[in-house]
Amino acid sequence: MRAIVNTPGGTAPVELREIPEPNPGPHEVLVAVRAFSFNRGELRSFVNNEAGWIPGQDISGVVLKPAANGLGPSEGTRVVALTDEFGWAEQVAVPVHRIVPIPDNVSFAQAATLPVAGLTALRCVRLGGALVGRRVLITGAAGGVGTLAIQIAAHSGAHVTAVVGRPERAAGLGELGADDVVHGIESATGRFSLVLESGGGSSLSAALQRIEPKGTVVVYGNSSGEPSTISFQDFRAAQNARIQSFFYFTSGAEEQFAPDLALLVSLIADGNLRPVIGIEQDWAQLATVAESLRGRQVAGKAVFRTGNS
Ligand SMILES: NC(=O)c1ccc[n+]([C@@H]2O[C@H](COP(=O)([O-])OP(=O)(O)OC[C@H]3O[C@@H](n4cnc5c(N)ncnc54)[C@H](OP(=O)(O)O)[C@@H]3O)[C@@H](O)[C@H]2O)c1
């Protein structure tokens, strides 16, 4: 089969190659991958992993072979799954507790946007507790996590302020549910019950200036790569506010991945969540699209079709 293989130091970070097919364990489902999506964090993993490694966490496709233990979806079921790695391939083996069926009215491309970005958006919003009538600030709002988080927070009853880096990045965010869109977090006025912060550096420092007393700043990314300084004085006007880190992989029990993924899929099926797919390309274009993502040119998610599509 073919897969995207890591090529650090090569002319491109990855290339398509022939590799052996996976050999699923008894608790794993074999999936013919139709689509997958790409996360900003995976740009780093090209550098941090060895040559020959196969990336890929967000996949959708069709079950080729059900798990031998009798659990999970049957042959021919359309599915979406969260894998640790190895997903950017024509076939991948997925543990039964990380895979859920997708209804006919949800496309492979839409479903593939969900595992990492959707779980992150859903669980970060939940960290704010009950949000009816509360103000929520979302940095990196035009990106993969941000465009999903805007919708989930708005459906939770929050008043949502979205932060973008350039005016053109604001396009479409109002329709997703953002009440206000600001250019740069410094333009966000007032205080917020919940801030989803992924910029890092001066963005995190500015977030702390905008949190309410007892509010929560969820720190889930550092897209700028910059450090931040904080001091006790930052909390003088926001007493007992907290900074909460978030890592999607350890943010809940393993058995919670499938129910949360199923919830996200059902929101799309019901018309309550609309993944923004800024780029949908054949997987041969991955290295080029990686540069667009690095350059903050992708609105929402980048999705790829594999050789099975
Ligand atoms: N902790 C976790 O479990 C977890 C899970 C998923 C993602 N993440 C992290 O969360 C962040 C967002 O992920 P994503 O997949 O939504 O990424 P993305 O699609 O690339 O979106 C990130 C957005 O952040 C904005 N941004 C602001 N400052 C930036 C900077 N200095 N460099 C690059 N982008 C900047 C960009 O929008 P503008 O150009 O409009 O500012 C960009 O659209 C990333 O840092 C990612 O690594 C963490």
Side-chain angles (χ1 to χ4, degrees), residues 120-181:
T120 299
L122 174 68
R123 292 178 172 187
C124 284
V125 169
R126 280 181 178 153
L127 288 171
L131 292 175
V132 178
R134 306 236 177 236
R135 299 188 76 214
V136 174
L137 181 65
I138 299 175
T139 64
V145 176
T147 47
L148 293 165
I150 289 171
Q151 299 177 68
I152 295 168
H155 277 299
S156 306
H159 179 285
V160 178
T161 301
V163 180
V164 294
R166 306 185 306 280
E168 61 271 28
R169 300 282 282 163
L173 301 189
E175 287 87 86
L176 296 182
D179 298 281
D180 306 312
V181 182

Side-chain angles (χ1 to χ4, degrees), residues 29-35 58-64 72-82 92 94 96 98-103 106-112 115 261 265:
V29 179
L30 186 65
V31 178
V33 179
R34 299 286 290 268
D58 297 325
I59 66 109
S60 61
V62 176
V63 174
L64 274 181
S74 54
E75 185 181 342
T77 308
R78 300 170 78 245
V79 289
V80 58
L82 172 71
V92 65
V94 185
V96 289
R98 299 267 198 88
I99 188 165
V100 297
I102 52 178
V106 176
S107 69
F108 288 118
Q110 288 176 316
L261 208 42
V265 169

Side-chain angles (χ1 to χ4, degrees), residues 165-231:
R166 306 185 306 280
E168 61 271 28
R169 300 282 282 163
L173 301 189
E175 287 87 86
L176 296 182
D179 298 281
D180 306 312
V181 182
V182 296
H183 305 145
I185 190 170
E186 294 73 20
S187 306
T189 54
R191 289 190 176 265
F192 297 84
S193 176
L194 174 68
V195 183
L196 303 191
E197 213 307 284
S198 62
S202 59
S203 180
L204 174 54
S205 304
L208 294 177
Q209 305 301 317
R210 285 162 176 77
I211 197 69
E212 277 177 8
K214 294 192 178 167
T216 304
V217 178
V218 179
V219 176
Y220 72 94
N222 185 9
S223 297
S224 68
E226 298 294 328
S228 313
T229 53
I230 63 165
S231 98

Side-chain angles (χ1 to χ4, degrees), residues 1-6 13-17 19 33 35-43 45-46 53-60 83-92 112 283 286-287 290 293 301-308:
M1 69 167 186
R2 286 184 304 160
I4 300 243
V5 171
N6 195 33
V14 290
E15 67 181 35
L16 263 175
R17 261 192 221 156
I19 61 150
V33 179
F36 61 83
S37 76
F38 188 0
N39 299 287
R40 176 165 288 273
E42 281 159 328
L43 289 168
S45 64
F46 295 157
W53 171 72
I54 300 158
Q57 303 171 94
D58 297 325
I59 66 109
S60 61
T83 58
D84 286 338
E85 49 193 353
F86 309 139
W88 295 355
E90 284 174 333
Q91 295 179 26
V92 65
W283 63 346
L286 196 137
L293 189 71
K301 294 286 297 176
V303 175
F304 296 89
R305 298 179 294 270
T306 69
N308 294 320

